Amino acid sequence: MAGQVAGRYDVVVVGGGAAGFSAALTLVRARRSVAVVDAGEPRNAPADGVHGLLGLDGIRPDELLSRGRAEVIGYGGEVHDGEVVDVSRESDGFSVTLRDGAVVHTRRLLIATGLVDELPPIPGVRKQWGRGVLHCPYCHGWEVRDRRIGVVGADPMAVHKAIMFRQWSSDVVFFDHGDDVEPQDRVKLDALGISIVSGGIATLETAGDQLTGVRLDDGRLVAIDALVVSTRMVARTEVFAGLGIEPTIHPAGAFIETDPFGATSVPGVWAAGNSSDISAQVSNAAADGARAAQHINTDLIMKDLERAVASLSDREGEF
Ligand SMILES: Cc1cc2nc3c(=O)[nH]c(=O)nc-3n(C[C@H](O)[C@H](O)[C@H](O)COP(=O)(O)OP(=O)(O)OC[C@H]3O[C@@H](n4cnc5c(N)ncnc54)[C@H](O)[C@@H]3O)c2cc1C
């Protein structure tokens, strides 16, 4: 469903990825009025398939989300294609403004906006991202098993990534990208038969859409089938700053801190998926969304109970 959104909801979910739709599904099944607002840029969009997802291994990312969307709509939930640009507090909840000017009101807010992968500034990396250029062994390791895998250094996580990917292939090469490799790391790489290629990377070489190699600054070409990079994973939080949502900065990125049930430090606001856990895969993000939804629903039940008890006491006081 695209276009006009207006009204008052129990919960507005910002972001329609695995976390957001999973939360919305739990909430609509709890008979809550729910609107999901989604800008349509899930993190894994460049990938061919979602791997490691029980029962659905390899499903296309867009197919998974369109199934989730249909399930939410099937129970009466609303899904709106659009971008939330502002959120402000009201006496009994929040007012949520979309880029098209629409304003909706909600008692509770769930942030499920995911994160942005900041890629290393190497020419060709962005174009191959999610296909020839990879970051996560559990997402893509099987697909590149026994292939020639390069790992880009000059990052605190790089040696760790090389060691990890060695589990999937014996043909791993480490590009130091002009940076020093610590002696203790050299020992580890050497022990696993991972050779170190010294020198800065100039660009990636491709044949058609296929990654074929890494061209170094000095002109050398190293043939590889896949290149592993580290990304800085930064949760999308800017639009919630006015509510007091401040991302916690971590060497690997930035995320929203929550309690174990997804509640943020701001009353009435929950966060789930990559926005609060930068390491979450699709299954974790969906689980996070469902858990946060259960706690949001309980919170609303308790709030309404509190009001019912107060109004009963008021009425009894009248006699
Ligand atoms: C290349 C790649 C491949 C991957 N492969 C796998 C894999 O095989 N298996 C696996 O388990 N995981 C994989 N992942 C990880 C997976 O992408 C994440 O676990 C998952 O996307 C997290 O879900 P999420 O709902 O938190 O965020 P997302 O899926 O990123 O969804 C967030 C949604 O919120 C929307 N949004 C953001 N801001 C706003 C706003 N202001 N208003 C409205 N909407 C907004 C975005 O447009 C987006 O649609 C991969 C990641 C990458 C980068």
Side-chain angles (χ1 to χ4, degrees), residues 25 35 48 51 61 68 93 98 108 132 138 146 151 153 155 172 184 198 218 230 241 248 268 274:
L25 182 60
D48 284 343
H51 292 288
L98 277 62
R108 299 290 181 271
Y138 299 104
D146 297 329
V151 179
D155 181 279
V172 178
Q184 67 272 25
S198 291
D218 62 11
S230 301
T248 296
N274 275 161

PDB file of all heavy atoms in Angstrom, residues 25 35 48 51 61 68 93 98 108 132 138 146 151 153 155 172 184 198 218 230 241 248 268 274:
ATOM      1  N   LEU A  25       3.777  -7.857  12.622  1.00  0.00           N
ATOM      2  CA  LEU A  25       2.970  -9.079  12.567  1.00  0.00           C
ATOM      3  C   LEU A  25       2.515  -9.480  13.973  1.00  0.00           C
ATOM      4  O   LEU A  25       1.350  -9.817  14.196  1.00  0.00           O
ATOM      5  CB  LEU A  25       3.780 -10.202  11.909  1.00  0.00           C
ATOM      6  CG  LEU A  25       3.064 -11.536  11.722  1.00  0.00           C
ATOM      7  CD1 LEU A  25       1.825 -11.391  10.838  1.00  0.00           C
ATOM      8  CD2 LEU A  25       4.015 -12.575  11.121  1.00  0.00           C
ATOM      9  N   ALA A  35       0.767   0.932  11.971  1.00  0.00           N
ATOM     10  CA  ALA A  35       1.211   1.408  10.650  1.00  0.00           C
ATOM     11  C   ALA A  35       2.718   1.204  10.566  1.00  0.00           C
ATOM     12  O   ALA A  35       3.462   1.618  11.462  1.00  0.00           O
ATOM     13  CB  ALA A  35       0.870   2.881  10.461  1.00  0.00           C
ATOM     14  N   ASP A  48      21.659 -11.597  -3.582  1.00  0.00           N
ATOM     15  CA  ASP A  48      20.725 -12.451  -4.338  1.00  0.00           C
ATOM     16  C   ASP A  48      19.778 -13.214  -3.431  1.00  0.00           C
ATOM     17  O   ASP A  48      18.658 -13.505  -3.811  1.00  0.00           O
ATOM     18  CB  ASP A  48      21.514 -13.504  -5.146  1.00  0.00           C
ATOM     19  CG  ASP A  48      22.147 -12.866  -6.362  1.00  0.00           C
ATOM     20  OD1 ASP A  48      21.719 -11.769  -6.729  1.00  0.00           O
ATOM     21  OD2 ASP A  48      23.081 -13.469  -6.919  1.00  0.00           O
ATOM     22  N   HIS A  51      20.596 -15.985   3.323  1.00  0.00           N
ATOM     23  CA  HIS A  51      21.096 -17.310   3.699  1.00  0.00           C
ATOM     24  C   HIS A  51      21.090 -17.486   5.218  1.00  0.00           C
ATOM     25  O   HIS A  51      21.133 -16.522   5.969  1.00  0.00           O
ATOM     26  CB  HIS A  51      22.504 -17.519   3.134  1.00  0.00           C
ATOM     27  CG  HIS A  51      22.471 -17.604   1.634  1.00  0.00           C
ATOM     28  ND1 HIS A  51      21.971 -18.695   0.980  1.00  0.00           N
ATOM     29  CD2 HIS A  51      22.819 -16.703   0.681  1.00  0.00           C
ATOM     30  CE1 HIS A  51      22.029 -18.487  -0.326  1.00  0.00           C
ATOM     31  NE2 HIS A  51      22.545 -17.279  -0.535  1.00  0.00           N
ATOM     32  N   PRO A  61      15.784 -11.404  -0.928  1.00  0.00           N
ATOM     33  CA  PRO A  61      15.432 -10.434   0.109  1.00  0.00           C
ATOM     34  C   PRO A  61      14.095  -9.738  -0.162  1.00  0.00           C
ATOM     35  O   PRO A  61      13.281  -9.560   0.755  1.00  0.00           O
ATOM     36  CB  PRO A  61      16.595  -9.424   0.068  1.00  0.00           C
ATOM     37  CG  PRO A  61      17.753 -10.211  -0.443  1.00  0.00           C
ATOM     38  CD  PRO A  61      17.182 -11.212  -1.405  1.00  0.00           C
ATOM     39  N   GLY A  68       6.291 -10.753   4.149  1.00  0.00           N
ATOM     40  CA  GLY A  68       6.040 -10.156   5.460  1.00  0.00           C
ATOM     41  C   GLY A  68       5.006  -9.043   5.372  1.00  0.00           C
ATOM     42  O   GLY A  68       4.085  -8.951   6.194  1.00  0.00           O
ATOM     43  N   GLY A  93       1.809  10.153  23.601  1.00  0.00           N
ATOM     44  CA  GLY A  93       2.492   9.395  22.551  1.00  0.00           C
ATOM     45  C   GLY A  93       3.386  10.267  21.704  1.00  0.00           C
ATOM     46  O   GLY A  93       4.102  11.131  22.216  1.00  0.00           O
ATOM     47  N   LEU A  98       5.919  12.377   7.891  1.00  0.00           N
ATOM     48  CA  LEU A  98       6.520  11.734   6.724  1.00  0.00           C
ATOM     49  C   LEU A  98       7.015  12.788   5.745  1.00  0.00           C
ATOM     50  O   LEU A  98       6.580  13.950   5.788  1.00  0.00           O
ATOM     51  CB  LEU A  98       5.507  10.813   6.036  1.00  0.00           C
ATOM     52  CG  LEU A  98       5.356   9.416   6.631  1.00  0.00           C
ATOM     53  CD1 LEU A  98       4.867   9.446   8.064  1.00  0.00           C
ATOM     54  CD2 LEU A  98       4.405   8.595   5.767  1.00  0.00           C
ATOM     55  N   ARG A 108       2.827   4.330  20.837  1.00  0.00           N
ATOM     56  CA  ARG A 108       4.176   3.791  21.023  1.00  0.00           C
ATOM     57  C   ARG A 108       4.897   3.793  19.670  1.00  0.00           C
ATOM     58  O   ARG A 108       4.253   3.703  18.620  1.00  0.00           O
ATOM     59  CB  ARG A 108       4.136   2.348  21.548  1.00  0.00           C
ATOM     60  CG  ARG A 108       3.462   2.212  22.907  1.00  0.00           C
ATOM     61  CD  ARG A 108       4.282   2.824  24.020  1.00  0.00           C
ATOM     62  NE  ARG A 108       3.639   2.671  25.325  1.00  0.00           N
ATOM     63  CZ  ARG A 108       2.769   3.536  25.854  1.00  0.00           C
ATOM     64  NH1 ARG A 108       2.424   4.632  25.180  1.00  0.00           N
ATOM     65  NH2 ARG A 108       2.257   3.323  27.041  1.00  0.00           N
ATOM     66  N   GLY A 132      30.356  -9.455  -5.482  1.00  0.00           N
ATOM     67  CA  GLY A 132      31.776  -9.810  -5.432  1.00  0.00           C
ATOM     68  C   GLY A 132      32.439  -9.316  -4.158  1.00  0.00           C
ATOM     69  O   GLY A 132      33.449  -9.867  -3.719  1.00  0.00           O
ATOM     70  N   TYR A 138      28.876 -15.730   7.377  1.00  0.00           N
ATOM     71  CA  TYR A 138      27.644 -16.520   7.550  1.00  0.00           C
ATOM     72  C   TYR A 138      26.619 -16.205   6.459  1.00  0.00           C
ATOM     73  O   TYR A 138      25.752 -17.021   6.159  1.00  0.00           O
ATOM     74  CB  TYR A 138      27.065 -16.301   8.951  1.00  0.00           C
ATOM     75  CG  TYR A 138      28.063 -16.748   9.993  1.00  0.00           C
ATOM     76  CD1 TYR A 138      28.809 -15.820  10.723  1.00  0.00           C
ATOM     77  CD2 TYR A 138      28.328 -18.101  10.171  1.00  0.00           C
ATOM     78  CE1 TYR A 138      29.776 -16.235  11.628  1.00  0.00           C
ATOM     79  CE2 TYR A 138      29.288 -18.522  11.073  1.00  0.00           C
ATOM     80  CZ  TYR A 138      30.011 -17.589  11.799  1.00  0.00           C
ATOM     81  OH  TYR A 138      30.970 -18.011  12.673  1.00  0.00           O
ATOM     82  N   ASP A 146      35.850 -22.613  -1.183  1.00  0.00           N
ATOM     83  CA  ASP A 146      36.910 -23.127  -2.067  1.00  0.00           C
ATOM     84  C   ASP A 146      37.291 -22.164  -3.192  1.00  0.00           C
ATOM     85  O   ASP A 146      38.014 -22.557  -4.109  1.00  0.00           O
ATOM     86  CB  ASP A 146      36.532 -24.502  -2.665  1.00  0.00           C
ATOM     87  CG  ASP A 146      36.371 -25.550  -1.579  1.00  0.00           C
ATOM     88  OD1 ASP A 146      37.066 -25.424  -0.552  1.00  0.00           O
ATOM     89  OD2 ASP A 146      35.543 -26.459  -1.741  1.00  0.00           O
ATOM     90  N   VAL A 151      41.072 -10.511   1.309  1.00  0.00           N
ATOM     91  CA  VAL A 151      40.565  -9.767   2.463  1.00  0.00           C
ATOM     92  C   VAL A 151      41.331  -8.445   2.526  1.00  0.00           C
ATOM     93  O   VAL A 151      42.570  -8.446   2.484  1.00  0.00           O
ATOM     94  CB  VAL A 151      40.757 -10.548   3.779  1.00  0.00           C
ATOM     95  CG1 VAL A 151      40.243  -9.737   4.971  1.00  0.00           C
ATOM     96  CG2 VAL A 151      40.055 -11.906   3.712  1.00  0.00           C
ATOM     97  N   GLY A 153      42.930  -5.368   4.249  1.00  0.00           N
ATOM     98  CA  GLY A 153      43.466  -5.008   5.560  1.00  0.00           C
ATOM     99  C   GLY A 153      43.245  -3.538   5.873  1.00  0.00           C
ATOM    100  O   GLY A 153      42.271  -2.940   5.416  1.00  0.00           O
ATOM    101  N   ASP A 155      42.352  -2.333   8.640  1.00  0.00           N
ATOM    102  CA  ASP A 155      41.158  -2.210   9.465  1.00  0.00           C
ATOM    103  C   ASP A 155      41.337  -3.148  10.656  1.00  0.00           C
ATOM    104  O   ASP A 155      41.855  -4.262  10.486  1.00  0.00           O
ATOM    105  CB  ASP A 155      39.927  -2.635   8.642  1.00  0.00           C
ATOM    106  CG  ASP A 155      38.654  -2.499   9.440  1.00  0.00           C
ATOM    107  OD1 ASP A 155      38.345  -3.410  10.256  1.00  0.00           O
ATOM    108  OD2 ASP A 155      37.979  -1.488   9.273  1.00  0.00           O
ATOM    109  N   VAL A 172      43.025 -18.087   0.645  1.00  0.00           N
ATOM    110  CA  VAL A 172      42.727 -16.744   1.148  1.00  0.00           C
ATOM    111  C   VAL A 172      43.995 -15.901   1.076  1.00  0.00           C
ATOM    112  O   VAL A 172      45.078 -16.364   1.460  1.00  0.00           O
ATOM    113  CB  VAL A 172      42.201 -16.774   2.605  1.00  0.00           C
ATOM    114  CG1 VAL A 172      41.952 -15.362   3.132  1.00  0.00           C
ATOM    115  CG2 VAL A 172      40.920 -17.599   2.703  1.00  0.00           C
ATOM    116  N   GLN A 184      52.407 -10.348  15.531  1.00  0.00           N
ATOM    117  CA  GLN A 184      51.588 -11.480  16.026  1.00  0.00           C
ATOM    118  C   GLN A 184      50.485 -11.862  15.042  1.00  0.00           C
ATOM    119  O   GLN A 184      50.090 -13.023  14.948  1.00  0.00           O
ATOM    120  CB  GLN A 184      51.005 -11.187  17.429  1.00  0.00           C
ATOM    121  CG  GLN A 184      49.981 -10.085  17.504  1.00  0.00           C
ATOM    122  CD  GLN A 184      50.615  -8.696  17.725  1.00  0.00           C
ATOM    123  OE1 GLN A 184      51.778  -8.465  17.382  1.00  0.00           O
ATOM    124  NE2 GLN A 184      49.845  -7.775  18.274  1.00  0.00           N
ATOM    125  N   SER A 198      51.467  -6.933  -0.152  1.00  0.00           N
ATOM    126  CA  SER A 198      51.721  -5.571   0.324  1.00  0.00           C
ATOM    127  C   SER A 198      51.430  -4.548  -0.759  1.00  0.00           C
ATOM    128  O   SER A 198      51.624  -4.816  -1.951  1.00  0.00           O
ATOM    129  CB  SER A 198      53.182  -5.427   0.735  1.00  0.00           C
ATOM    130  OG  SER A 198      53.405  -6.192   1.884  1.00  0.00           O
ATOM    131  N   ASP A 218      50.824  -0.300  -7.648  1.00  0.00           N
ATOM    132  CA  ASP A 218      52.032  -0.464  -8.486  1.00  0.00           C
ATOM    133  C   ASP A 218      51.747  -1.209  -9.795  1.00  0.00           C
ATOM    134  O   ASP A 218      52.665  -1.575 -10.518  1.00  0.00           O
ATOM    135  CB  ASP A 218      53.145  -1.158  -7.697  1.00  0.00           C
ATOM    136  CG  ASP A 218      52.754  -2.567  -7.264  1.00  0.00           C
ATOM    137  OD1 ASP A 218      51.716  -3.076  -7.745  1.00  0.00           O
ATOM    138  OD2 ASP A 218      53.477  -3.164  -6.439  1.00  0.00           O
ATOM    139  N   SER A 230      35.708  -4.779   5.603  1.00  0.00           N
ATOM    140  CA  SER A 230      35.023  -4.428   6.848  1.00  0.00           C
ATOM    141  C   SER A 230      34.255  -3.149   6.563  1.00  0.00           C
ATOM    142  O   SER A 230      34.774  -2.262   5.878  1.00  0.00           O
ATOM    143  CB  SER A 230      36.025  -4.167   7.966  1.00  0.00           C
ATOM    144  OG  SER A 230      36.814  -5.319   8.169  1.00  0.00           O
ATOM    145  N   ALA A 241      16.558  12.020  16.923  1.00  0.00           N
ATOM    146  CA  ALA A 241      17.419  12.803  17.823  1.00  0.00           C
ATOM    147  C   ALA A 241      16.584  13.740  18.690  1.00  0.00           C
ATOM    148  O   ALA A 241      16.876  13.926  19.880  1.00  0.00           O
ATOM    149  CB  ALA A 241      18.443  13.588  17.015  1.00  0.00           C
ATOM    150  N   THR A 248      24.914   5.028  20.432  1.00  0.00           N
ATOM    151  CA  THR A 248      26.146   4.692  21.139  1.00  0.00           C
ATOM    152  C   THR A 248      27.214   4.398  20.086  1.00  0.00           C
ATOM    153  O   THR A 248      26.980   3.615  19.162  1.00  0.00           O
ATOM    154  CB  THR A 248      25.912   3.441  22.022  1.00  0.00           C
ATOM    155  OG1 THR A 248      24.950   3.797  23.007  1.00  0.00           O
ATOM    156  CG2 THR A 248      27.192   2.965  22.686  1.00  0.00           C
ATOM    157  N   GLY A 268       8.386   4.887  25.923  1.00  0.00           N
ATOM    158  CA  GLY A 268       7.475   4.750  24.785  1.00  0.00           C
ATOM    159  C   GLY A 268       8.153   4.419  23.480  1.00  0.00           C
ATOM    160  O   GLY A 268       7.484   4.186  22.471  1.00  0.00           O
ATOM    161  N   ASN A 274      18.866  -4.244  13.233  1.00  0.00           N
ATOM    162  CA  ASN A 274      20.198  -3.637  13.093  1.00  0.00           C
ATOM    163  C   ASN A 274      20.283  -2.248  13.704  1.00  0.00           C
ATOM    164  O   ASN A 274      21.386  -1.764  13.964  1.00  0.00           O
ATOM    165  CB  ASN A 274      20.612  -3.568  11.623  1.00  0.00           C
ATOM    166  CG  ASN A 274      21.250  -4.828  11.107  1.00  0.00           C
ATOM    167  OD1 ASN A 274      21.314  -5.050   9.896  1.00  0.00           O
ATOM    168  ND2 ASN A 274      21.745  -5.699  11.993  1.00  0.00           N
TER     169      ASN A 274
END
